[in-house]
Structures are given as structure tokens and as C-alpha cells.
Amino acid sequence: LGSSKQDTPTTGTPIEAVPATPPTTQVPQTPQPTQPTSVSSLVIYAASATPMQDYVMVERNNQRIYVDPRQTLLRSDLADVLAVQDDQGRPYLSLSFNAAGTQKLQRITSNNIGRSLAVTFRDNLISTISINNAVNNGTLNVPMASSDDAIALEGRILDGD
């Protein structure tokens, strides 16, 4: 006789916890109290352009990427955020990590050379950054579409939005 229970073990983060389109539900959602310690508006994932074991496919801004929910940096890992421009006028966010975040950034980048980081804010893909070498200095520069976007996102991250 058939059973609707899956016999496969579950490991890692459930797909619902990965930034993707919200699941469709039949029950109207009621507002839940916010818990800032368990949810981060800024999440940076180890990512790949091609499918990999334990990575979850997400599609944002007409771009499909695969993210590893086990390798993340969160807003709580940051020490500071600054909107800046390089010497050619290209805008970016300079993310400075605290001691724990610096260690996580170094570990994630050293373990994922040749892949990328996917920077998301409120489940929107902001940027993907190629990992060419380990980042040991605790600073990650995130390319932005415009100076206005960089300044606006800097404010939202600093305000804890």
C-alpha cells in the first residue's frame, strides 16, 4: 500500500528558508511578530551558475543561480556599510565585516574559488561577485547599478531595514 510520507532523509536548510518566490498557500497569512535574530534582510550566499549538490536554485531579476543555504553571511556579520565609487566612477557598497563575519567571509571565499557570492537584500538579488581568491581583509565590495541605488541600500542596511 502507498504512503504519502517521504522516506528520504532531510538535511540542510528547507527550501522555504531560501530566498525564492513565496510559497502559494490556501490559508490567508496573518502577520507574525518580527524576530530580527532569526531573519536577516541582507544575506550573502556562496553561489554557482550551474547546479551543485545541496545548492538550491533561485531565480531573481531574470537570472537563475544556485545558492548554498549552509554558507551565508548575514547583516549581523557586518561592522559597517559605505556607499562609494571607484576611481572610474563606478558605484559599489563597501561591506566591512566584524571579527566573526571576517572569519566566515574568509572561509566561504577560500572554499568557493571559481564560484561566486550572491548578495541579496529582502530576497532580491542585488549583485553576484566572482570569487577569484580568498577574501582575508574583512571587506567585500558589492557592485551597484547606480550611486543612488548604493546610497539607498547603504541606508536601509544601516537602519536595519
Side-chain angles (χ1 to χ4, degrees):
L1 295 172
S3 170
S4 62
K5 182 179 181 221
Q6 289 184 312
D7 294 324
T8 56
T10 57
T11 58
T13 301
I15 194 164
E16 296 83 10
V18 175
T21 52
T24 55
T25 59
Q26 310 301 8
V27 179
Q29 293 185 335
T30 56
Q32 299 293 319
T34 58
Q35 297 175 349
T37 55
S38 64
V39 177
S40 179
S41 55
L42 176 75
V43 183
I44 302 168
Y45 294 93
S48 173
T50 57
M52 297 186 64
Q53 183 174 346
D54 296 325
Y55 279 46
V56 178
M57 191 271 295
V58 294
E59 195 164 353
R60 287 278 178 259
N61 309 339
N62 297 318
Q63 185 177 2
R64 183 176 292 174
I65 59 170
Y66 300 85
V67 299
D68 186 348
R70 300 162 303 162
Q71 298 185 77
T72 62
L73 290 154
L74 305 175
R75 167 67 182 90
S76 59
D77 294 315
L78 288 178
D80 199 12
V81 181
L82 186 62
V84 290
Q85 289 185 350
D86 66 13
D87 55 1
Q88 297 180 348
R90 293 178 295 220
Y92 64 94
L93 276 182
S94 178
L95 304 179
S96 299
F97 291 87
N98 59 30
T102 295
Q103 289 180 338
K104 286 171 66 176
L105 178 63
Q106 191 277 330
R107 186 177 65 250
I108 290 170
T109 55
S110 64
N111 291 337
N112 291 282
I113 293 173
R115 296 188 190 121
S116 60
L117 293 173
V119 181
T120 66
F121 186 79
R122 296 213 169 270
D123 291 342
N124 290 309
L125 181 63
I126 302 300
S127 188
T128 54
I129 303 165
S130 296
I131 302 172
N132 299 318
N133 48 28
V135 177
N136 298 313
N137 66 357
T139 301
L140 184 65
N141 294 327
V142 180
M144 298 294 294
S146 72
S147 293
D148 288 344
D149 287 349
I151 292 167
L153 188 55
E154 172 196 33
R156 292 181 72 187
I157 292 170
L158 289 173
D159 289 345
D161 181 12

